[in-house]
Amino acid sequence: MRTTKPVFGCILLLVSASLGSAQPTQTADPLQCWWRTSTGAIRIGEPFSVVLTCAVLETDTATVIVDQSRLEPSVVQFAPFEVLGGSHGADLRRDDRRFFQYEYRARLIAENQFGKDVALPETKLSYHLQTSVGQKTALQGRDQSYILPPLSLRVLSLVPADATDIRDTPSETFGDIDQRGFRANLLTVIGGVLFAVAALLGLLALVRLLARYRKPAEASSRLISDSAAIRAAARELAAVRRQREGGGWTPDLAGRALAALRVAGAYAVGRRASLMPAARQSSVAGPQSNGSLEAQDGSQAAEEAGRLIVRTGWPRARRVAVSGAITSQSVGRDRIRQAGTRGFAGSDLYESLEQALAALSAAQYGRHGKLDDGELDRALDTGSQVLKRARLDQTWVMKRLAARRVERQGDTRAWSR
């Protein structure tokens, strides 16, 4: 009997242990929720954030269905707090739990709560358990409630009894003011330096732009512009044509047409007219065809032969003599020299200009005294064509193309060297 008692006790212990292990373990809560605020102490009217997070059971066999319609920011109420708005984040899943979260923006609007603890009211959540018993069959359990306990917040807006204002006075010191003044002065200096650098860069850019598009030095000192010289030649040729239609050709009329054609032809072949101040008019003067006044005495008429007189300036006008330094021989040499140039397409114009200059020169300086009206009329028509070419060459586009062509030729000569 003494030996059987210990053995019997061991058997009882083993049986009780096996029975204890056979009992079912306690299951986890199907729903768990908790609060979280952005601050633990608030002031009256101060907005703060309240975050509600819940974890629900969600497995293949059992799912907790929570009534979340009462948790929407537009519906929920937390008296004495006012809900200003909120948001609902995306759900998260981990293992057998699904987490959902709501964030609310609230503020305290109640009175006489200074220096007290104000609690978020307890929140009641309704849910039920849904159990799966087959592939497409599920049993819905009874409705249950989950009580979320209240959460207390401290109201800090407590002022002394003798205070005249509940607003907090600023806490800046003389050191803070001095530091802000130093920072402001530093930023002002940096801004001034940056503005100076920007102005310098803008000035450099403007100088480069003006240097790129400015006229050559000799053009800036010219008495009149090239366009004004071409217009003077056009007026003179028009006056010659009117006198030709009213009468016949004379050596003087051919000389005037020759002077105008030389000016227009100089620009047409890529040259420029020469300009110089003209002599003063004498007291006896008559109207000139180009709108200016030409002296009638012999000395000035000889001095201004072969030149166009243009009046410019206001209110004190000055007279400028415009002449073209081309002849029929020089135009012929240019035509022969450029005949083999690639892209040269002005041979007809050069040939017509050469013939017109020869005809007008022979009419003015010829000794036989006979004038060929048909040949002179063709020369006058050639003058109109030359004027069109000269005006086209003086447009902005053609000037830019010519300048680019000269730059490329200069670069080619420098490279060949």
Side-chain angles (χ1 to χ4, degrees):
M1 293 295 294
R2 292 180 180 177
T3 58
T4 58
K5 288 183 179 181
V7 175
F8 183 73
C10 292
I11 294 173
L12 291 177
L13 289 174
L14 292 175
V15 173
S16 61
S18 62
L19 292 176
S21 62
Q23 292 179 355
T25 58
Q26 186 178 2
T27 59
D29 294 337
L31 175 62
Q32 293 179 342
C33 297
W34 58 91
W35 293 111
R36 181 170 58 86
T37 59
S38 59
T39 180
I42 60 173
R43 290 177 172 85
I44 300 296
E46 177 186 10
F48 63 98
S49 298
V50 180
V51 178
L52 172 62
T53 306
C54 294
V56 298
L57 181 65
E58 191 172 279
T59 62
D60 295 337
T61 59
T63 303
V64 175
I65 307 299
V66 182
D67 184 9
Q68 299 181 212
S69 61
R70 299 181 180 180
L71 300 178
E72 294 297 330
S74 60
V75 178
V76 70
Q77 295 182 0
F78 299 133
F81 295 91
E82 179 186 10
V83 178
L84 303 177
S87 60
H88 178 200
D91 295 351
L92 300 178
R93 286 177 173 80
R94 183 177 180 182
D95 297 336
D96 58 350
R97 291 285 174 171
R98 178 175 63 89
F99 297 86
F100 64 88
Q101 189 176 76
Y102 287 88
E103 181 180 4
Y104 309 101
R105 294 191 308 275
R107 65 179 179 180
L108 181 62
I109 59 175
E111 298 179 356
N112 301 325
Q113 300 293 337
F114 301 110
K116 298 180 181 180
D117 291 340
V118 180
L120 288 168
E122 65 178 22
T123 304
K124 181 179 180 181
L125 303 180
S126 300
Y127 70 95
H128 62 269
L129 183 62
Q130 183 174 310
T131 305
S132 178
V133 295
Q135 294 182 353
K136 298 183 180 180
T137 305
L139 296 179
Q140 181 175 339
R142 61 184 180 85
D143 293 337
Q144 303 183 46
S145 299
Y146 179 88
I147 304 298
L148 189 64
L151 178 65
S152 298
L153 296 172
R154 182 69 177 180
V155 181
L156 297 179
S157 298
L158 181 64
V159 295
D162 58 349
T164 59
D165 197 341
I166 64 172
R167 292 175 296 182
D168 295 334
T169 57
S171 60
E172 287 84 358
T173 61
F174 290 166
D176 297 333
I177 297 175
D178 184 67
Q179 185 178 5
R180 291 183 180 179
F182 173 77
R183 189 186 303 113
N185 293 334
L186 179 61
L187 294 177
T188 303
V189 172
I190 294 175
V193 171
L194 293 179
F195 272 112
V197 172
L200 180 60
L201 293 177
L203 181 61
L204 292 177
L206 183 60
V207 170
R208 288 178 64 89
L209 184 63
L210 292 178
R212 183 176 180 181
Y213 292 100
R214 74 174 185 272
K215 297 181 179 180
E218 62 273 10
S220 62
S221 60
R222 294 177 64 85
L223 299 175
I224 60 175
S225 64
D226 296 333
S227 300
I230 295 175
R231 288 196 299 269
R235 289 195 298 268
E236 185 69 7
L237 286 177
V240 170
R241 185 178 294 276
R242 288 194 299 270
Q243 292 191 13
R244 166 67 182 90
E245 293 174 354
W249 281 100
T250 63
D252 293 338
L253 191 62
R256 291 173 54 187
L258 178 61
L261 184 59
R262 282 179 175 176
V263 173
Y267 287 102
V269 298
R271 301 181 185 180
R272 306 181 72 178
S274 60
L275 309 174
M276 61 181 303
R280 293 180 176 271
Q281 293 176 307
S282 64
S283 57
V284 180
Q288 192 184 3
S289 60
N290 60 0
S292 62
L293 296 177
E294 183 181 6
Q296 300 297 323
D297 59 331
S299 61
Q300 289 189 2
E303 181 183 359
E304 296 176 357
R307 299 186 298 178
L308 303 179
I309 305 303
V310 180
R311 299 185 61 183
T312 182
W314 187 87
R316 298 181 61 182
R318 57 181 178 178
R319 304 172 75 240
V320 179
V322 184
S323 60
I326 63 171
T327 61
S328 59
Q329 291 80 7
S330 64
V331 173
R333 289 193 297 268
D334 291 343
R335 178 175 59 85
I336 296 174
R337 185 174 60 253
Q338 297 186 14
T341 305
R342 182 181 178 183
F344 179 67
S347 58
D348 296 340
L349 178 64
Y350 274 67
E351 185 175 357
S352 300
L353 179 59
E354 180 183 359
Q355 296 175 359
L357 290 174
L360 291 174
S361 298
Q364 182 182 11
Y365 303 108
R367 295 181 180 180
H368 52 78
K370 295 182 179 180
L371 301 179
D372 188 351
D373 292 347
E375 189 174 359
L376 294 179
D377 290 339
R378 287 191 296 271
L380 191 59
D381 295 336
T382 301
S384 301
Q385 298 177 3
V386 171
L387 274 174
K388 293 180 181 179
R389 175 63 180 271
R391 287 171 175 171
L392 178 62
D393 291 342
Q394 291 303 311
T395 58
W396 181 85
V397 176
M398 298 303 294
K399 286 183 177 180
R400 294 303 304 167
L401 293 177
R404 291 290 181 86
R405 185 165 53 252
V406 172
E407 292 178 0
R408 287 197 297 268
Q409 292 176 357
D411 294 341
T412 304
R413 287 194 295 268
W415 177 261
S416 61
R417 293 176 184 176

